[in-house]
Every structure is written in C-alpha cells, then in structure tokens.
Amino acid sequence: MKYLGLAYFTPEKFAAMSPGDIEGLVSQCPALDEKMRATGKVLVSASLGDRDGWATLRPRGGRTHVSDGPYAESKEVVGGLFIIEADDRDEALRIASMHPAATLGEEGGWAVELIPMDFFLAR
C-alpha cells in the first residue's frame, strides 16, 4: 500500500523563530531524511518551493481560473511531501515518524499527515 506524507508548518510560528534557531533546526533535516530514505520504502521525497511562486487553479464558470499564491484556508501550510510504499499502516507510521517534521520543529508548528493512497500513477 502507498501512503502520502504531507509535511506541514505554521508560517507565523516559523517566522517568529530566530535565524539561528531556524538554521539549527534545518541543519538536522538531511540526516533524518537520509534515515527515512535508507528504509528503501520512500518512493518520492520533496521540499516545496517558496509560497510566493505558488498558483491556485479553480474551476469558475466552465473555465480554469488561476490565482497567484496559496489561497486554501488553513493556518498550516504544506512545505513538503513524500510517498511511502509500506506493507501496512504500522510500517508506514514507523517510516513517516523518521521525517524531520514528525520529530523536530515543534516551535515552527511542524507536523506530518499520513494519508493512504487509493490511486497512484507513475510514468
């Protein structure tokens, strides 16, 4: 079974952190990411770009309307994603718990949401 992991942060909390605290936090991420990938179960891992470059596409009047920026209503924002192929939910949870947003960053409002995938299409 495949699972989508969404790594969230809270922009206001993250912005309140000092540059040194952010650097200390972010510097720990590569080792944790590597530990997670070393399981051999991570199919995709990505960090999302600056929200200034985001676009939102919505259907309006039979056409696609494009707006700049993230406009979904939420206090938390997705900052990264990963896809795990696991034998069961327990294994997926064990692997997802290795992600930096599941183990670090409480002060930045970090969190991971793990979602079972019903459909996955790869090239």
Side-chain angles (χ1 to χ4, degrees), residues 12-27:
E12 294 78 21
K13 289 183 177 181
F14 204 75
M17 294 172 62
S18 73
D21 287 345
I22 291 172
E23 175 56 34
L25 178 61
V26 172
S27 70

Side-chain angles (χ1 to χ4, degrees), residues 1-5 36-45 81-96 98 114-122:
M1 174 120 202
K2 291 179 180 59
Y3 292 84
L4 172 64
M36 192 174 79
R37 284 192 304 275
T39 66
K41 300 281 188 162
V42 177
L43 304 178
V44 173
S45 180
L81 63 95
F82 55 94
I83 297 174
I84 296 170
E85 185 162 24
D87 294 332
D88 56 35
R89 183 176 185 266
D90 289 339
E91 181 181 37
L93 286 168
R94 181 183 57 78
I95 295 166
M98 298 176 193
L114 190 63
I115 306 164
M117 298 175 72
D118 288 334
F119 176 78
F120 180 84
L121 175 65

Side-chain angles (χ1 to χ4, degrees), residues 22-66:
I22 291 172
E23 175 56 34
L25 178 61
V26 172
S27 70
Q28 298 176 67
C29 293
L32 291 169
D33 285 335
E34 180 52 36
K35 181 180 174 184
M36 192 174 79
R37 284 192 304 275
T39 66
K41 300 281 188 162
V42 177
L43 304 178
V44 173
S45 180
S47 179
L48 303 183
D50 187 4
R51 294 183 302 144
D52 291 341
W54 290 22
T56 301
L57 293 78
R58 286 195 166 87
R60 295 266 164 80
R63 303 183 83 155
T64 301
H65 177 75
V66 179

